[in-house]
Amino acid sequence: MVTKAIGEVCGECGGRTYVIERRGDRAHARVCTCSARCELCEGRGYAYEVREESFSAKVGPKRYEVLVPCVCQRRAKRLEHFNEVGLPGVMAHASFEGYRAFNEAQDRARNLAMHFAHHYDKAGVNKGFILSGPVGTGKTHLLAATLKHLVLEVGLEARYVEISLLYATIRRGFQEGKSGGEIIGPLSEVEVLAIDEMGKGRGSQFEMETLDELIARRYNAARTTLFATNYSLEPERRGTRAAAPSGYRSTEDTKSAAREMELLRERVGERIYSRLCEMCNFVEFPKETTPDQRRMRQELEPRPGPPPGGMRSGR
């Protein structure tokens, strides 16, 4: 156990009492070593709480102690719920503070996600959001930061799914004798669900029916859903599609260009898109001014120079 002086902030957790790290392909939360033994309950899991209540007008208010679960038990439950969210391991350290905005749309998306997370109404209906933009522009980062706050700080239960992996999970379930409903059921009932890569897939009947069932269940139950997609939300782009460029283009290049110009409405259908309009606030990152941050980091990374002693010819 790490000991620290009174008033000193732990260098491992920064005073949060828990640590989030990458384990395999998932983000994992654990109690920090500085808080392994709770100072309030000394590891018992329960502590006394002073309450005041009037049992009669003649006696007046009376104070008494009751044994209640310690705050460390609540923390342990929240960490357990976080480890069930399914956030990608690469997003273990995603935060609102660590998100870099390059334009007004990204700044608006961060502010929208932060406001949603910090003002979530447990007793009311909360409108979700959908982020649209090119790859590598931080959409998954904002989804992860939002879910982390909701689960660890607010105490909600949430899930993250990438839509193509959900389809693959259901197909494997069929081989094991499970129905699609057994897998979709928990996702339909969780308080907040984040669906990444919305619109991705082959657009088969199986995929469309699966997505329609999941969205319909959550819509009918007024549950909050967050989305991220690479497909445009802007209907006006339909009439302004660029003409095909001259010169040689491979079949795959042509298909890729066509996919980039597709609208989310065309990928998910009018029924689902109409429900998204009611369930979410929309934010779209402009393709022309929103850089791929992963690509930027790779291009700015110093390249290794020649080995000591200069270039050597190979044989």
Side-chain angles (χ1 to χ4, degrees), residues 217-233:
R217 285 194 186 190
R218 296 193 63 80
Y219 173 83
N220 293 334
R223 300 195 187 281
T224 306
T225 313
L226 314 177
F227 302 89
T229 181
N230 294 332
Y231 295 96
S232 177
L233 307 173

Side-chain angles (χ1 to χ4, degrees), residues 244-258:
S246 58
Y248 172 78
R249 298 190 91 196
S250 69
T251 302
E252 194 57 40
D253 286 340
T254 303
K255 289 181 178 179
S256 178

Side-chain angles (χ1 to χ4, degrees), residues 111-183:
N111 290 339
L112 173 67
M114 285 181 62
H115 186 274
F116 172 86
H118 289 277
H119 295 84
Y120 188 90
D121 183 2
K122 284 186 174 183
V125 177
N126 300 270
K127 192 170 186 177
F129 57 81
I130 179 166
L131 307 178
S132 165
V135 298
T137 52
K139 302 182 299 296
T140 304
H141 183 121
L142 289 177
L143 290 183
T146 301
L147 295 186
K148 284 170 68 174
H149 182 87
L150 291 177
V151 174
L152 295 173
E153 304 301 329
V154 182
L156 298 185
E157 291 189 46
R159 294 290 185 280
Y160 166 93
V161 293
E162 185 179 320
I163 197 65
S164 59
L165 296 182
L166 174 62
Y167 297 148
T169 300
I170 294 175
R171 289 191 180 98
R172 286 197 300 271
F174 290 157
Q175 299 174 358
E176 299 170 359
K178 298 179 182 178
S179 67
E182 290 181 66
I183 298 171

Side-chain angles (χ1 to χ4, degrees), residues 83-96:
N83 294 332
E84 295 171 349
V85 172
L87 284 180
V90 294
M91 292 296 151
H93 303 294
S95 67
F96 294 123

